[in-house]
Amino acid sequence: MEVCACTEEVEVLVFGSVIVDFVAYAERLPKAGETLHGHKFMTGYGGKGANQCVAAARQGAKTAMIAKLGDDSWGSNYLQQLRKENVNVDFVEQCQGEATGIAQISVADSGENHIIIVVGANNLLSGNDVEKARNLFKTAKILVCQFETPLNATLDALNAFEGISILNAAPALVATPPELIKAATIFCVNETEAALTTGCEAISKLEHAKVGLHKLLEMGAKNVIITLGALGAVYATSADPHKFIHVPVGKVPKVVDTTGAGDAFIGALAYNMARFSSLPWHQLIGAANQVAAYSVQHPGTQASFPTGQVNKGVEYAWKEF
Ligand code: RIB
């Protein structure tokens, strides 16, 4: 069996999805059965895993990705792109006869989106890939996983890792296996995903988010972060389960495209956790909020992520709620 010979210290290891985005921009999102004229189209590099990895790399993290691509031209181009982004791709494999994952994305002028993914080669990621990269699993500081690749492989990855792991449970499942919720150090979702995962009603206010945090802790999460778009993010920990913290984000002048903002948040969080582990959580989350806020003001997914830190050295506001 091929075993990782990587010697360079990896700060952020991403075990997850790589997808090519096909993005159509229109005045609004279509209703069921409706055809709309759009005003712009672009292809981009996406997939929650790769987005998070690239977001971390652009912040300055040493990153590595474990992922599957198709053996088509999309896959070859994507591999090149990850190299350009300084991501270690020793364990990104182009699978023979498989298609690279794709996402069909619609973005409204308000910045809202709809996404359908057909994950293709991503479905081949397995526990074997964890085993092959075991040196990386031993040495990386932060592991990041999502739900666009097979769940049993994600569970193997989380269980094999001894550092801090961040599970972005997206796209959300109605019945998330409890062992996945329990396996990660940090369980991170947005407001829609938190509602789906917990069965709570829509989470649009801080009070709802408190219920979501509480339920996720009850479901076995060790630490929970819920991102809330324009409201910033909230978090809670099982070590102090009645304390709920809100880290707001400054007002954004104009939202252009929210696609990938959650991934920008996760990538920046992973970078900050790897690099500044002694900082309080509200600082780490505040910095990640800034990167997500930057992303929504620019079009595209990875195309919208900043290079370098945003608002370096700022003291972020937070409050108990
Ligand atoms: O989170 C945004 C991402 O979701 C897109 O890049 C798309 O590929 C889907 O994975």
Side-chain angles (χ1 to χ4, degrees):
M1 181 181 286
E2 181 198 338
V3 172
C4 173
C6 315
T7 47
E8 196 197 13
E9 183 195 78
V10 167
E11 292 173 300
V12 177
L13 172 62
V14 177
F15 183 86
S17 57
V18 182
I19 286 176
V20 176
D21 291 346
F22 295 81
V23 195
Y25 293 84
E27 193 182 345
R28 60 177 173 80
L29 298 175
K31 296 185 188 126
E34 188 185 23
T35 302
L36 278 182
H37 280 276
H39 53 72
K40 190 170 82 173
F41 173 80
M42 63 184 203
T43 57
Y45 295 105
K48 295 184 195 303
N51 291 346
Q52 293 164 11
C53 194
V54 167
R58 292 220 189 135
Q59 289 293 290
K62 292 182 193 113
T63 57
M65 177 110 216
I66 303 175
K68 302 287 183 190
L69 286 161
D71 65 349
D72 42 24
S73 57
W74 297 110
S76 307
N77 291 341
Y78 209 138
L79 200 52
Q80 279 302 105
Q81 178 64 17
L82 288 173
R83 287 197 181 103
K84 273 194 208 149
E85 296 283 359
N86 297 316
V87 174
N88 173 330
V89 291
D90 289 357
F91 293 95
V92 180
E93 187 192 352
Q94 280 192 273
C95 305
Q96 228 188 344
E98 297 294 330
T100 296
I102 64 101
Q104 185 180 295
I105 304 181
S106 309
V107 181
D109 286 352
S110 64
E112 293 172 297
N113 64 43
H114 275 164
I115 305 179
I116 295 178
I117 54 172
V118 180
V119 298
N122 289 287
N123 267 334
L124 296 184
L125 199 64
S126 76
N128 259 347
D129 298 298
V130 176
E131 183 55 29
K132 283 184 197 165
R134 60 175 175 266
N135 287 352
L136 273 180
F137 275 86
K138 272 195 205 132
T139 54
K141 289 188 175 165
I142 310 284
L143 171 70
V144 183
C145 303
Q146 322 73 33
F147 279 175
E148 291 182 329
T149 45
L151 295 185
N152 49 0
T154 302
L155 185 60
D156 286 346
L158 290 168
N159 285 338
F161 194 66
E162 286 169 20
I164 294 173
S165 56
I166 303 175
L167 174 59
N168 176 219
L173 304 171
V174 177
T176 307
E179 56 271 32
L180 272 163
I181 300 181
K182 290 176 189 160
T185 317
I186 300 168
F187 187 89
C188 183
V189 279
N190 69 20
E191 63 274 57
T192 319
E193 292 149 1
L196 252 168
T197 309
T198 58
C200 289
E201 283 178 33
I203 292 176
S204 56
K205 294 183 184 158
L206 280 185
E207 280 316 300
H208 303 157
K210 187 184 268 187
V211 178
L213 288 172
H214 183 70
K215 282 214 167 168
L216 286 164
L217 289 178
E218 270 185 350
M219 288 165 84
K222 296 182 181 109
N223 300 285
V224 182
I225 299 175
I226 303 179
T227 56
L228 298 170
L231 289 179
V234 291
Y235 70 93
T237 168
S238 57
D240 196 354
H242 301 293
K243 191 171 175 183
F244 303 97
I245 305 291
H246 176 214
V247 186
V249 65
K251 201 166 158 30
V252 162
K254 181 163 168 45
V255 174
V256 170
D257 184 350
T258 57
T259 318
D263 301 330
F265 177 94
I266 300 269
L269 181 71
Y271 160 75
N272 280 292
M273 291 210 148
R275 215 35 98 79
F276 311 107
S277 57
S278 60
L279 285 181
W281 274 42
H282 66 265
Q283 279 299 108
L284 305 173
I285 291 173
N289 274 343
Q290 291 301 315
V291 173
Y294 179 100
S295 155
V296 300
Q297 296 176 70
H298 299 82
T301 44
Q302 291 174 25
S304 71
F305 298 167
T307 298
Q309 286 169 270
V310 184
N311 282 356
K312 205 171 171 180
V314 166
E315 280 289 320
Y316 295 106
W318 62 279
K319 66 174 185 328
E320 227 179 299
F321 69 105

